[in-house]
Amino acid sequence: MQVDAIDRVIKNAITVMEESKYQIFEICESSRSEREALSKELQSVIEEVSLTIEQVDKLELAYKRARIRLTEVSRDFHKFTEEDIRISYEAATSMQLQLTIANEKETHLKQRRDDLQKRIKNVDKQVERAETLVSQMNVVLEYLTGDLNQVTRILESAKNRQLIGLKIILAQEDERKRIAREIHDGLAQSMANVVLRTEITQRMLNREEYESVKAELHDLKAQVRGGLEEVRKIIFNLRPMALDDLGLIPTLRKFVQDFEDKTKIRIKFELVGRENRLPSGMEVAIYRLVQEAFSNVFKHANASYVSLELTFQAKMVKIYIQDNGQGFDVRTVESKMNKGVNFGMIGMRERVELLEGRLDIDSEKGSGTKISMLIPIGPPEEGRTEQPGQS
């Protein structure tokens, strides 16, 4: 009877989540349509702003000439008739009016452009939140729709608990891939478009009286390009593509080299045993563990040397990291971990436990730190060869 009651609860939960998922999907599609319409309008406004700027430049030049003409006519009144003075005055007044209208139009268009950009940004955030919810609900539904007895047997099996951990890690990494792809297709492309627009504006303002504006635009272009490089670094940190293409060891070598160049901390990386391609989720987990350990060394250890030893055994992968930093009291740190304070160590321990592994920390103040992680090797993924460099 208890199993039947649990089954009814699960079925009701599945029904509610399926309905909610489709509602969220409809919201997501509606937001995408709205974004497409806003993007088209934004492009139209940007083009109109460019044309208006050109018109303002021409009107400013025409108004300047009209003022000069009016000055000449007014100064040599004995040479020109009152009709000439009237015509010059009306021409200058007309140009001034047109210039004022054009300037107001330019200001309005720029405000409209900025508003559209803010609305597009808000819609992008809404779409991202909706996609995240749908992804999370799909993961939950995948487990809820399974047979209850099968779920019980899975939870009772240590080996299958490891597979559940790998699935969770894979779901996290799939989300990282999606974010990296969106940043590449969205923000990076937008920044590249800004660089192009500044170059166009720079050519439009290529006159002597605009030298200071040109210099400022040049600086802006350099700043945007720097931001573009930073976005590309973020993309790599979210998902190192070398993991899929080359495997764990080449990716770790690249990470260690970059870390050494950035922090000036001397690194020694040693591989023991023969490298085999592991399941994708396990390779990602090991990479993140090493990444988190090195991050802790950089932030807290004040070390000048770090060694990383990765050992491949038949049924086990061993990760050994040692630094010559200031060390710490292990009991104090572990008590903080139990209270949820030290998030770096908590993240490492959770990842190791998901893989049914073991994490040992040996450290004393003034004697550096040693971290040892033992991770059992699970079955390879389907369709994944065990040769290095293949994915």
Side-chain angles (χ1 to χ4, degrees):
M1 291 299 296
Q2 292 179 347
V3 173
D4 291 338
I6 293 174
D7 189 57
R8 284 195 302 271
V9 171
I10 291 177
K11 287 180 178 180
N12 291 334
I14 290 173
T15 301
V16 172
M17 293 186 70
E18 286 283 1
E19 293 175 355
S20 301
K21 185 179 74 171
Y22 285 114
Q23 291 175 0
I24 296 173
F25 179 79
E26 290 176 357
I27 294 173
C28 189
E29 289 299 311
S30 175
S31 298
R32 286 198 182 97
S33 300
E34 181 182 359
R35 190 197 188 285
E36 184 177 357
L38 290 174
S39 298
K40 290 180 180 178
E41 184 178 355
L42 175 61
Q43 186 62 35
S44 175
V45 170
I46 289 174
E47 293 174 358
E48 193 171 355
V49 167
S50 179
L51 294 174
T52 304
I53 291 175
E54 290 182 2
Q55 183 184 6
V56 168
D57 290 343
K58 292 177 181 179
L59 288 173
E60 285 179 344
L61 183 59
Y63 177 61
K64 185 184 297 184
R65 290 174 178 171
R67 288 287 301 274
I68 293 172
R69 173 63 178 172
L70 179 59
T71 302
E72 292 174 351
V73 171
S74 300
R75 184 176 59 244
D76 298 334
F77 61 90
H78 61 278
K79 183 179 177 181
F80 298 93
T81 65
E82 291 184 0
E83 181 65 19
D84 293 331
I85 296 174
R86 184 185 63 79
I87 293 174
S88 299
Y89 179 81
E90 289 179 353
T93 304
S94 176
M95 286 298 167
Q96 184 181 25
L97 179 60
Q98 294 180 44
L99 180 59
T100 302
I101 294 174
N103 281 327
E104 291 178 353
K105 181 180 180 182
E106 180 184 349
T107 301
H108 172 74
L109 287 172
K110 287 181 177 179
Q111 290 177 349
R112 180 58 179 165
R113 178 195 63 193
D114 294 341
D115 290 339
L116 287 171
Q117 289 174 340
K118 290 179 181 178
R119 288 180 61 187
I120 289 175
K121 186 176 181 180
N122 291 333
V123 170
D124 286 341
K125 290 181 179 179
Q126 183 178 358
V127 171
E128 181 180 349
R129 287 195 294 266
E131 288 179 345
T132 301
L133 285 173
V134 171
S135 177
Q136 293 172 346
M137 294 175 73
N138 283 334
V139 173
V140 176
L141 284 171
E142 180 180 350
Y143 292 109
L144 289 180
T145 52
D147 180 70
L148 185 60
N149 293 327
Q150 181 67 18
V151 171
T152 303
R153 288 195 296 269
I154 290 174
L155 293 176
E156 291 174 350
S157 170
K159 180 61 69 175
N160 286 328
R161 284 203 305 271
Q162 182 187 26
L163 292 178
I164 292 174
L166 289 175
K167 283 188 176 182
I168 294 173
I169 293 172
L170 282 173
Q172 293 172 341
E173 291 304 313
D174 286 339
E175 183 68 8
R176 288 175 180 266
K177 283 183 180 179
R178 186 189 64 79
I179 295 173
R181 184 171 58 251
E182 287 187 354
I183 293 176
H184 178 271
D185 295 339
L187 180 59
Q189 297 297 330
S190 297
M191 293 182 70
N193 185 44
V194 170
V195 173
L196 179 61
R197 284 170 50 195
T198 55
E199 291 176 346
I200 294 173
T201 308
Q202 189 175 7
R203 288 196 296 269
M204 290 169 54
L205 299 176
N206 191 17
R207 300 189 180 98
E208 291 185 0
E209 59 268 26
Y210 297 120
E211 287 298 325
S212 59
V213 178
K214 288 169 58 180
E216 187 169 346
L217 285 175
H218 180 76
D219 293 340
L220 175 61
K221 183 168 61 177
Q223 291 175 4
V224 173
R225 281 178 173 163
L228 185 58
E229 290 299 321
E230 186 64 27
V231 169
R232 288 170 177 160
K233 291 180 182 178
I234 294 173
I235 292 172
F236 177 81
N237 290 332
L238 284 171
R239 177 66 185 186
M241 299 305 174
L243 273 177
D244 297 324
D245 300 333
L246 303 178
L248 178 63
I249 299 305
T251 305
L252 283 178
R253 292 191 190 280
K254 177 66 167 58
F255 167 75
V256 166
Q257 182 62 48
D258 291 344
F259 184 87
E260 189 173 43
D261 294 340
K262 175 185 176 182
T263 63
K264 308 304 179 184
I265 299 175
R266 190 162 58 91
I267 309 295
K268 179 183 178 183
F269 179 26
E270 184 176 358
L271 173 64
V272 180
R274 182 177 180 273
E275 176 196 1
N276 291 319
R277 290 306 299 267
L278 304 175
S280 176
M282 185 170 290
E283 288 188 344
V284 169
I286 293 174
Y287 176 82
R288 297 298 181 196
L289 286 169
V290 174
Q291 190 180 45
E292 185 62 38
F294 273 60
S295 176
N296 289 337
V297 171
F298 176 64
K299 292 178 181 178
H300 309 294
N302 194 24
S304 60
Y305 172 80
V306 182
S307 65
L308 168 62
E309 181 180 296
L310 197 65
T311 303
F312 280 87
Q313 299 177 353
K315 297 183 179 180
M316 187 79 64
V317 174
K318 181 179 179 181
I319 307 168
Y320 184 74
I321 301 172
Q322 181 177 0
D323 67 68
N324 65 346
Q326 60 191 9
F328 57 88
D329 183 74
V330 177
R331 292 183 179 179
T332 302
V333 172
E334 287 183 344
S335 65
K336 291 182 178 180
M337 289 170 60
N338 294 332
K339 296 177 182 179
V341 176
N342 197 316
F343 294 107
M345 287 294 184
I346 291 175
M348 291 178 62
R349 176 148 293 175
E350 287 181 347
R351 286 181 182 272
V352 173
E353 289 177 352
L354 283 173
L355 297 173
E356 290 296 312
R358 191 180 76 203
L359 171 66
D360 295 320
I361 302 174
D362 182 14
S363 181
E364 294 181 3
K365 290 187 176 180
S367 301
T369 302
K370 301 174 184 177
I371 299 177
S372 177
M373 291 172 276
L374 296 177
I375 299 176
I377 299 177
E381 294 179 326
E382 294 183 5
R384 182 79 173 261
T385 59
E386 294 293 321
Q387 297 299 324
Q390 297 180 359
S391 58

